[in-house]
């Protein structure tokens, strides 16, 4: 955890004005063309490079997914939720919104995070061993699940966690069917090729609020209007057990959920071992270990 | 405006328990089979009877819609919004959420409400002359448009306005493109065949709050879970200028809107001249004229 004081921040943010900065890092780090032992073919790599995401429908078997879902329910109904900092509740209803750190605290999700094929895909894209920067279950209950406003994860991980470069991938696995009614993940394809710095200084212990309702580190309406006019929008829908991989700098969010169907996903962030955290670029103290891991040990398949 | 005190309320609500009451009124009042001069054919009538709605994509020409949209923008940006009771604002952002009574206060929407083909369809379905019970523009702005929770309009119109029977139709016209991203109208097909009484007494001047955020007159989660398990859910999406007609007792709602695209509709409620209002069934004073009209004069095509 060191950071030379002379370092020029390639991706500044949380200032008085919005800046649009061209991405300085590759999107696909792996060899091109892909090798015969690689999982992703050239078309998939091209798609990922251009759009910033890749979707695999019904990636897991129904029986596997049933086990994940069962575990999710068990966790959600466990006791002492109120006192556990890893649980984030909906502001109004006090229902569980997110559970962090499940790749360390829960055996089923620990194994899932090291699933061989998931690792094969992310190590190909990042061309290096990886560790888990963050894991969480987003529960989004039925009837009153709240929205997640637009954001680039990298903006937060860079500013608040000290992630140096764009060399991380989010992997989200649907634990319930995600459909047009229950507030699926929305993505702005291609938005990962620019970095949109956000307005406003980061408050102390921002994560306690931002993980319930984001107010800082969000792009301006003008930026969002422009990039959606240019790139459009896609939703990630699919049966339980579908998977999306998306670049750490892809703009995404989701609407609320009045449907009776919870929209639950488990979310692993794989960061390259060559991109481990330094001091946060916003000059505040780092977020806790259960949100931004500083235990940099390369994952081996489970 | 009379109501015999011995009248037994066929559709009680706002009590201590939930009741499910079978619909006592027809859905299609018009002659079957339809006559040659009618607009809707037998398949359409069957669909409406079964599902409680009918959708017509691109019902209006692009040029007509552009004029409506322009007028909407003009109204939304007009002065003295804060003092006008016909304008309802989003609780947090103070942006315009709805504008009521546009069929009387605005020439363009007055004409639109009497559009010949709209009247032909509703008078066929209701088999009588009609008047407008309520009109409104729902603006649902981009970025932070809020949800409308599940409700049957009839439950409110019966309890708070004194509408005796289920013999009214809502007609909603999209003024912007309504898509999967910007919080389109969600419907539970077939839900109009039962009446779900709601829990809780109606507070005085309920409309001042309910039209911003509904808390009374909403069905229980158990009811919603059951009827969606039975009937599923559909969304009303389409280019600006599309039209939906739906039964006054059809359960509907919509999610919020974080997309940059406003989701704006104009909404006319046509009530049968044989179903004019009596005293509200919740025993409070009637809602104001701009929300629930008591000017019962049959519409003539514009």
């Amino acid at each position: 955890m060191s950071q030379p004081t002379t370092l020029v921040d390639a991706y500044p943010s949380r200032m008085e004005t919005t800046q649009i900065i061209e991405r300085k890092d590759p999107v696909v780090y792996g060899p091109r063309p892909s090798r015969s032992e690689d999982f992703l073919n050239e078309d998939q790599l091209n798609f990922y490079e251009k759009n910033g995401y890749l979707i695999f429908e019904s990636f897991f078997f129904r029986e596997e997914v049933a086990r994940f879902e069962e575990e999710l329910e068990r966790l959600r109904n466990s006791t002492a939720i109120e006192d556990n900092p890893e649980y984030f509740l909906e502001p109004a209803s006090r229902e569980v919104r997110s559970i962090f750190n499940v790749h360390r605290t829960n055996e089923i999700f620990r194994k899932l995070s090291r699933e061989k094929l998931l690792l094969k895909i992310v190590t190909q894209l990042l061309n290096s061993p990886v560790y888990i920067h963050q894991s969480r279950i987003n529960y989004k209950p039925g009837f009153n699940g709240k929205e997640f406003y637009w954001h680039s994860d990298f903006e937060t991980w860079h500013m608040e966690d000290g992630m140096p470069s764009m060399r991380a991938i989010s992997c989200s696995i649907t634990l319930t069917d995600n459909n047009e009614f229950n507030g699926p993940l929305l993505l702005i394809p291609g938005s990962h090729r620019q970095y949109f710095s956000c307005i406003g200084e980061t408050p102390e212990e921002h994560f306690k609020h931002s993980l319930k309702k984001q107010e800082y580190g969000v792009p301006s309406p003008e930026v969002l209007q422009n990039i959606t006019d240019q790139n459009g929008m896609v939703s990630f829908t699919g049966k339980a057990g579908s998977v999306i991989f998306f670049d750490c700098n892809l703009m995404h969010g989701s609407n609320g959920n009045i449907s009776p169907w919870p929209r639950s996903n488990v979310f692993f962030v794989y960061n390259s071992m060559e991109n481990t955290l330094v001091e946060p670029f916003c000059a505040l103290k780092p977020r806790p270990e259960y949100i931004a891991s500083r235990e940099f040990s390369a994952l081996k398949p489970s």
Side-chain angles (χ1 to χ4, degrees), chain A residues 80-107:
Chain A
I81 284 176
E82 294 273 348
D83 300 330
N84 188 336
E86 293 169 357
Y87 280 72
F88 286 79
L89 308 183
E90 296 277 3
S93 67
R94 313 295 296 158
E95 276 191 274
V96 173
R97 178 179 171 93
S98 303
I99 308 172
F100 279 77
N101 209 24
V102 291
H103 74 289
R104 284 197 280 220
T105 58
N106 182 278
E107 186 49 27

Side-chain angles (χ1 to χ4, degrees), chain A residues 84-88 98-105 131-136 153 156-158 160-163 170 205-212 214 267-271 277 285-296:
Chain A
N84 188 336
E86 293 169 357
Y87 280 72
F88 286 79
S98 303
I99 308 172
F100 279 77
N101 209 24
V102 291
H103 74 289
R104 284 197 280 220
T105 58
Y131 72 99
I132 291 193
H133 168 65
Q134 182 187 94
S135 71
R136 71 210 246 187
D153 288 326
T156 298
W157 299 339
H158 183 65
E160 301 191 22
D161 299 338
M163 184 181 285
S170 290
E205 302 213 310
H206 177 223
F207 67 92
K208 288 191 180 167
H209 312 286
S210 69
L211 295 171
K212 294 183 199 161
Q214 187 117 21
F267 185 83
F268 301 118
V269 182
Y270 297 99
N271 190 23
L277 305 189
K285 70 175 184 188
R287 299 196 296 179
E289 181 68 22
Y290 61 86
I291 294 178
S293 175
R294 289 174 186 270
E295 203 184 81
F296 311 127

Side-chain angles (χ1 to χ4, degrees), chain A residues 210-230:
Chain A
S210 69
L211 295 171
K212 294 183 199 161
K213 191 172 186 332
Q214 187 117 21
E215 286 176 270
Y216 297 86
V218 299
S220 67
E222 293 74 26
V223 159
L224 290 168
Q225 186 77 59
N226 281 341
I227 59 175
T228 47
D229 285 354
Q230 281 166 39

Side-chain angles (χ1 to χ4, degrees), chain A residues 272-291:
Chain A
S272 167
M273 286 296 287
E274 296 175 25
N275 192 36
T276 55
L277 305 189
V278 295
E279 294 284 347
F281 286 80
C282 68
L284 292 176
K285 70 175 184 188
R287 299 196 296 179
E289 181 68 22
Y290 61 86
I291 294 178

Side-chain angles (χ1 to χ4, degrees), chain A residues 51 53 150 186-191 224-235 250-251:
Chain A
N51 296 294
Y53 70 93
W150 297 108
L186 304 179
L187 312 156
I188 303 176
S191 58
L224 290 168
Q225 186 77 59
N226 281 341
I227 59 175
T228 47
D229 285 354
Q230 281 166 39
N231 302 284
M233 198 178 287
V234 295
S235 61
L250 193 71
M251 196 66 76

